[in-house]
Amino acid sequence: MALSKILPASQEQYAGARNLIINGSQAVAQRGASANTSGSGQYKATDRFAWFQENTDQVIATVSQDTNAPDGFSNSHKIAISTAETTLDSDEIAGVYQPIEAQNLQHLKFGTSSAESLTLSFWVKSTETGIYAVLFYLADGTARSITKNYTINTANTWEYKTITIDGDTSGTIDNDNGLGMGVYWVLSSGSGRGTVDGSSWRNHDANQFGYGHTADVLTDSSATWQITGVQLEVGEQATPFEHRSYGDELRRCHRYFQRINVPQWYYSTLNASQVYHSIRLAVETRAGGTLSVNSSTRYWSGGTAVAFTPTLSGYGDRIRIQTSGGLSNCNGFADGIVDLDAEL
């Protein structure tokens, strides 16, 4: 007889969809396996995990999808410092975060007396031991946040961590496609960024980001930090990681980013020198998004390819690619790769 695990009542209705984090196993990396940071708010390597930095001067990190991972996982999100921060000034901070769409969080009942507790669990590994901060941020209404800590005890060793937070009875999460909650893993925090006690929900203060944080990754040019098996779920108990199929995880990521190979279809004539084509998306994006050319777009006619800079438009369920004019024969097809970014 098969045995099944009985979940707490608060989690039963979410069985099969417990994890509020997308790509927690770091399986999907549409943008490529490795890239260097050059500013804040950048998605590099594994999908849905972004790099943030504030007021830093020199630091450059290499972000990668790494095959080193604890048992049960094949990949991790790795930060490797390639150019270190010379000194960690009091206002500097950096780390990794995932934003969560607001309409996916309505069951948390934040802003009511029935607000649900949440438990974050993850595997982490670093060259730098010490105390680290994780900040949970609510963007809607009056911004709210809470900071909790975990400790890396042994260098270069995978360790499993859990953090439980109370539900916020005063916070607001709108029922829309905007940012509902951000989860921020701090890697280094200047002394001024941890001066405000963030151990319980409060109106957000930028100087609670690093509350309790002592570890320093940014000033060591050989430092690394890795994470995988990330799960955020309702309740005060961490349950085993919810493994999803690669296809399921990829579809969830496609709501926020898609790298699209433009199919070699014949384009419709707009006028004597321009053509256009619309591509229906398999997964509707969170918003219309921003489109950019990833690799050269070319227009083919009579066996000859001409590179062109397209006019790109996103509509959520489809994209439109239009040539910029100057064609002498509007009877052909185009190809190339374009990126559709609808991240929070």
Side-chain angles (χ1 to χ4, degrees):
M1 179 185 298
L3 298 178
S4 60
K5 182 172 181 177
I6 299 175
L7 295 174
S10 62
Q11 297 176 355
E12 284 180 349
Q13 61 182 310
Y14 309 116
R18 298 191 316 275
N19 195 359
L20 298 173
I21 295 292
I22 295 176
N23 201 30
S25 64
Q26 315 299 336
V28 179
Q30 294 185 80
R31 295 171 175 87
S34 180
N36 287 338
T37 61
S38 59
S40 195
Q42 295 183 330
Y43 290 87
K44 305 287 187 180
T46 62
D47 281 44
R48 304 297 296 127
F49 285 80
W51 170 261
F52 75 92
Q53 62 187 61
E54 293 180 10
N55 305 315
T56 53
D57 305 302
Q58 298 89 20
V59 68
I60 299 175
T62 300
V63 185
S64 63
Q65 181 192 48
D66 199 85
T67 56
N68 178 261
D71 291 345
F73 298 91
S74 298
N75 300 105
S76 62
H77 183 86
K78 182 177 182 179
I79 304 296
I81 303 302
S82 52
T83 301
E85 194 74 1
T86 304
T87 58
L88 190 64
D89 296 332
S90 63
D91 62 346
E92 295 179 340
I93 197 163
V96 172
Y97 75 99
Q98 177 162 143
I100 304 174
E101 191 172 340
Q103 59 193 358
N104 294 338
L105 302 173
Q106 296 306 297
H107 61 291
L108 302 186
K109 296 173 281 191
F110 277 24
T112 75
S113 59
S114 302
E116 298 276 8
S117 297
L118 290 170
T119 295
L120 176 69
S121 56
F122 54 94
W123 286 90
V124 66
K125 173 183 176 180
S126 179
T127 55
E128 312 304 308
T129 60
I131 301 172
Y132 289 76
V134 178
L135 179 126
F136 301 81
Y137 173 79
L138 302 183
D140 292 321
T142 299
R144 304 269 294 172
S145 56
I146 185 172
T147 309
K148 294 296 182 180
N149 299 114
Y150 69 93
T151 301
I152 292 182
N153 299 293
T154 306
N156 301 311
T157 302
W158 283 107
E159 298 178 359
Y160 181 69
K161 307 298 178 183
T162 64
I163 295 172
T164 298
I165 62 171
D166 294 331
D168 186 9
T169 58
S170 299
T172 301
I173 301 179
D174 293 340
N175 187 21
D176 60 20
N177 66 349
L179 174 62
M181 176 184 291
V183 182
Y184 293 77
W185 288 264
V186 177
L187 301 190
S188 289
S189 174
S191 59
R193 300 306 298 270
T195 56
V196 174
D197 186 343
S199 58
S200 59
W201 284 105
R202 55 164 293 135
N203 291 346
H204 177 68
D205 189 301
N207 291 329
Q208 73 177 89
F209 252 100
Y211 181 72
H213 187 101
T214 63
D216 182 12
V217 175
L218 268 61
T219 59
D220 184 347
S221 60
S222 61
T224 61
W225 181 90
Q226 294 169 252
I227 193 169
T228 193
V230 185
Q231 183 151 292
L232 180 64
E233 58 192 307
V234 172
E236 299 179 358
Q237 173 186 334
T239 63
F241 182 79
E242 181 183 63
H243 287 277
R244 300 168 181 147
S245 70
Y246 179 84
D248 185 1
E249 207 72 79
L250 179 61
R251 285 182 64 85
R252 293 169 190 258
C253 293
H254 274 168
R255 180 162 173 79
Y256 305 95
F257 178 83
Q258 297 185 37
R259 178 155 289 173
I260 302 166
N261 282 286
V262 177
Q264 292 184 343
W265 292 338
Y266 278 88
Y267 278 36
S268 301
T269 301
L270 183 66
N271 53 46
S273 62
Q274 289 179 282
V275 295
Y276 71 93
H277 183 66
S278 292
I279 300 174
R280 182 71 63 175
L281 302 174
V283 176
E284 184 171 337
T285 51
R286 180 190 65 84
T290 301
L291 282 146
S292 60
V293 175
N294 176 265
S295 66
S296 177
T297 48
R298 301 172 299 174
Y299 181 75
W300 293 77
S301 182
T304 301
V306 177
F308 72 97
T309 300
T311 299
L312 301 168
S313 304
Y315 301 97
D317 63 341
R318 67 194 187 282
I319 65 170
R320 176 183 166 115
I321 300 174
Q322 180 177 311
T323 62
S324 52
L327 300 180
S328 58
N329 181 0
C330 293
N331 182 28
F333 58 86
D335 64 8
I337 300 175
V338 298
D339 288 345
L340 173 55
D341 187 335
E343 298 282 5
L344 288 157

